[in-house]
């Protein structure tokens, strides 16, 4: 630690955008995928728990903690489908890392951008292990806030340069196409989801605000493709028709969470799925057949956020993209919290006595 | 909301100390007790869950969430008994409030001081309902970081002016006695715990770093007293001898948590206890007999933190004791997070275009 322990480095939204531009977004997506891969290889040492959700009529607020025994991390994230109509983000997030040995925080960070990055990095990392090698075209169904990040991650990790875009709202597709054309992608805007999947070796579904929607039906899915199912991510929210799931080999992050939140909530609780970390370590096969349909039922797991926070924590010092937060009271005598408070009294403090933290 | 939604008010350690001095510590303890009482009266509407703990050899890191349906709150808190030897706080904390309707945070606050205040306020509130009316003297066994806050809360809510102090470490008692003498208390420093409890109508035990310690044994506890048992608060950490528990009427915050963490972890899981919120609403009796031994087995529950955060949230605007954190990415078009990022690119941003949040 460079700072005193009472000071916690804070990465604001502005800092995060500066960090992304400094590193370069595709490089950062690749780096974060590398950190996730590293953490998935040591999956078994992590303290794992399904996210802790507080549901309301309007949405859900969740805490996602995990620990590798040295660092502890958690993310606060909300999911409010109706927010978009009020001009708010459907998903916002922030997160924290702390030292397991002391419990003292070492990083507080915005995670709206960081979640977008880690979700895309996770998708592309899964595809690296599951998608057909020759895939050159990706369909993106759902062209909202996550769509561009998915495209960039798949170019960075998989070399995907050609995109077929579809959204129920043509304005969303227009926005996504304009953003990605500037990034040099070859883009086809499609009038239907059926049209979007034509010739695509990878199909990414990343829609929002749907109740048991069926974005991909059985007739749309040919042999040999990889489906990156990102949008079905909470109870009652799915994207993929059950018949597609039954034809596919399904890969998941953390089964106890995905059974509740993922597209496989439509299947019996004992339907076979493969944990992605086992594919990454080689303990389980990934794609084994050119005609096989692989499906990554992505819901987002705490370890991915941990990996992303760990990466940011290691990079902010060189980049200088953080502020210092006076978050932890740290009196000189740890038993004298009250004395620290009394010394900070405005009238009683003699000249020269700092009213800030004791150290 | 006065601020744009992407800006979250942040109460630093320095701000919190200023707020305490501005309001006055005993007034603030009384106010927070009032907020806790108000929330305990509507106990049944809260979303309740035992804290989510991540244990390690060195300590524990916990998340404590709750919600009343309008606001959601959580606290991050650690407990590391060995921290003290390294000059660190055993317990540090921070917390957050957000709007249930949108999931957007409305307050981030230090909670090391705020936890000290709410713990003391909770103790005094429980005593208001349980302690003998004529109690004028309190013993405080354990004279660490929480002890002075306990004393001030008991003076503010119960009129306690006379204290009998004991700690295994005389230096801790010296620190506590010096701090509290300046606050106008009549103080007796005691050589043993047995001596401390002599003539005390209320006995507060608030020791740290003990494994199944026995601070109060059966012969030390006479009829009619109220025991405020604060220090036994996690598995393996208790203060009160089992025989004392068996003679006392026991009051708790949230039984599923207290059965695991409180002094009653020594008792069978069906040992009768009374939930404090029922005493406060009148649904269950508190003290009913002058010779009765009442015991508040305090472990600290999420609703108390929620109440304290709610209070701080309502007071910081008038006091101006907060900073503004750029925590939530909030692009003008909620689906165009990527566009917001691209507009923040250092080389591409034309003059006059803000590189900060879009709004």
């Amino acid at each position: 630690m460079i700072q005193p322990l009472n000071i916690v480095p804070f990465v604001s939204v502005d800092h995060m955008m500066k960090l992304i531009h400094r590193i370069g977004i595709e490089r950062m997506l690749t780096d974060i995928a590398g950190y996730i891969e590293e953490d998935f290889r040591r999956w078994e040492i992590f303290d794992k728990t399904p996210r802790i959700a507080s549901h309301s009529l309007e949405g859900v607020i969740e805490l996602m903690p995990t620990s590798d025994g040295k660092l502890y991390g958690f993310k606060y994230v909300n999911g409010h489908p109706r927010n978009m109509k009020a001009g708010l983000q459907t998903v916002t997030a922030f997160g924290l890392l702390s030292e397991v040995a002391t419990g003292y925080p070492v990083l507080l960070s915005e995670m709206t951008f960081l979640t977008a990055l880690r979700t895309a990095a996770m998708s592309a990392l899964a595809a690296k292990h599951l998608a057909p090698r020759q895939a050159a075209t990706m369909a993106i169904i759902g062209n909202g806030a996550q769509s561009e990040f998915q495209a960039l991650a798949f170019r960075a990790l998989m070399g995907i340069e050609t995109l077929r875009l579809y959204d129920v709202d043509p304005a969303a597709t227009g926005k996504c196409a304009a953003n990605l054309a500037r990034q040099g992608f070859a883009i086809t805007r499609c009038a239907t989801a059926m049209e979007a999947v034509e010739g695509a070796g990878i199909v990414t579904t990343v829609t929002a605000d749907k109740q048991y929607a069926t974005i991909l039906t059985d007739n749309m899915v040919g042999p040999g493709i990889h489906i990156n199912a990102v949008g079905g991510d909470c109870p009652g929210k799915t994207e993929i028709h059950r018949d597609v799931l039954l034809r596919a080999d399904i890969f998941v992050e953390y089964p106890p969470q995905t059974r509740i939140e993922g597209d496989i909530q439509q299947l019996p609780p004992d339907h076979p799925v493969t944990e992605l970390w086992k594919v990454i370590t080689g303990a389980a096969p990934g794609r084994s057949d050119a005609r096989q349909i692989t499906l990554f039922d992505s819901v987002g797991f705490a370890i991915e956020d941990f990996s992303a926070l760990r990466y940011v924590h290691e990079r902010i010092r060189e980049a200088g993209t953080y502020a210092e937060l006076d978050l932890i009271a740290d009196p000189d005598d740890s038993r004298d919290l009250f004395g620290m408070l009394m010394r900070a009294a405005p009238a009683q403090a003699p000249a020269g006595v700092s009213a800030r933290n004791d150290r």
Side-chain angles (χ1 to χ4, degrees), chain A:
Chain A
M1 290 298 300
I2 296 164
Q3 284 96 351
L5 282 171
N6 59 309
I7 297 295
V8 179
F10 166 61
V11 178
S12 71
V13 174
D14 191 38
H15 291 133
M16 185 61 77
M17 293 196 294
K18 285 196 166 71
L19 186 67
I20 295 169
H21 285 297
R22 189 185 158 98
I23 294 172
I25 185 163
E26 289 188 52
R27 168 70 192 280
M28 191 156 165
L29 285 160
T30 306
D31 286 351
I32 291 174
Y35 273 59
I36 294 173
E37 186 157 15
E38 194 176 302
D39 287 340
F40 272 43
R41 284 186 190 281
R42 55 196 191 112
W43 183 269
E44 287 163 294
I45 69 160
F46 277 89
D47 191 6
K48 291 175 285 290
T49 175
R51 59 183 108 199
I52 300 106
S54 178
H55 293 277
S56 63
L57 287 175
E58 298 92 348
V60 64
I61 297 174
E62 298 171 330
L63 299 173
M64 302 169 66
T66 191
S67 168
D68 68 356
K70 291 199 164 182
L71 288 170
Y72 168 93
F74 81 87
K75 179 166 83 170
Y76 168 102
V77 59
N78 75 301
H80 284 69
R82 298 179 208 166
N83 269 7
M84 204 175 66
K85 282 171 190 149
L88 304 176
Q89 288 286 290
T90 303
V91 175
T92 70
F94 72 92
L96 182 106
L97 271 188
S98 56
E99 281 189 345
V100 168
T102 62
Y104 274 53
V106 297
L107 174 71
L108 178 74
S109 177
E110 88 81 36
M111 287 191 77
T112 309
F113 278 109
L114 196 57
T115 297
L117 293 175
R118 76 84 160 127
T119 301
M122 180 75 245
S123 283
L125 173 62
K128 207 178 78 173
H129 291 275
L130 300 174
R133 283 257 164 253
Q134 74 285 6
T137 299
M138 178 162 80
I140 304 182
I141 302 174
N143 301 153
Q146 171 64 203
S147 57
E148 295 95 339
F149 296 92
Q150 288 282 333
L152 288 166
F154 275 81
R155 182 163 73 187
L157 274 85
M158 298 285 292
I160 298 287
E161 303 270 4
T162 306
L163 302 173
R164 301 178 64 82
L165 306 182
Y166 170 72
D167 195 290
V168 284
D169 179 358
T173 303
K175 177 262 328 179
C176 180
N179 280 336
L180 291 175
R182 278 185 216 112
Q183 302 293 321
F185 284 91
I187 293 166
T188 306
R189 295 174 58 165
C190 302
T192 63
M194 174 70 98
E195 187 189 333
V197 302
E198 277 170 27
I202 299 171
V203 175
T204 288
T205 59
V206 58
T207 62
D209 198 12
K210 298 291 183 304
Q211 293 295 314
Y212 295 115
T214 304
I215 309 302
L216 278 190
T217 52
D218 202 33
N219 61 323
M220 292 162 69
V221 177
I225 72 162
H226 174 65
I227 301 169
N228 173 39
V230 178
D233 60 358
C234 66
K237 181 160 175 282
T238 59
E239 293 182 315
I240 312 296
H241 193 281
R242 195 170 178 278
D243 291 345
V244 177
L245 299 176
L246 293 174
R247 283 168 61 206
D249 288 310
I250 299 171
F251 299 82
V252 304
E253 291 140 317
Y254 182 57
Q257 185 176 300
T258 314
R259 299 264 185 212
I260 295 166
E261 301 175 358
D263 271 289
I264 60 169
Q265 67 188 267
Q266 303 174 75
L267 300 181
D270 60 349
H271 186 88
V273 299
T274 302
E275 293 179 67
L276 197 60
W277 72 271
K278 291 185 179 170
V279 177
I280 289 172
T281 62
R287 172 168 291 270
S288 53
D289 172 348
R291 293 186 58 83
Q292 182 184 18
I293 298 166
T294 50
L295 186 146
F296 174 45
D297 190 0
S298 163
V299 298
F301 186 55
I303 293 177
E304 297 150 35
D305 299 307
F306 178 92
S307 308
L309 285 169
R310 194 165 65 81
Y311 174 72
V312 168
H313 184 235
E314 290 180 12
R315 296 302 299 269
I316 55 166
R317 287 178 199 289
E318 63 183 85
T321 48
Y322 66 99
E324 299 187 341
L325 279 198
D326 171 25
L327 185 63
I328 302 298
D330 193 30
D332 283 339
D333 173 356
S334 60
R335 290 179 304 192
D336 198 12
L337 192 64
F338 185 77
M340 175 178 165
L341 175 63
M342 287 302 112
R343 286 190 292 280
Q348 293 166 14
V353 173
S354 168
R356 280 182 64 97
N357 256 348
D358 271 3
R359 60 173 70 181

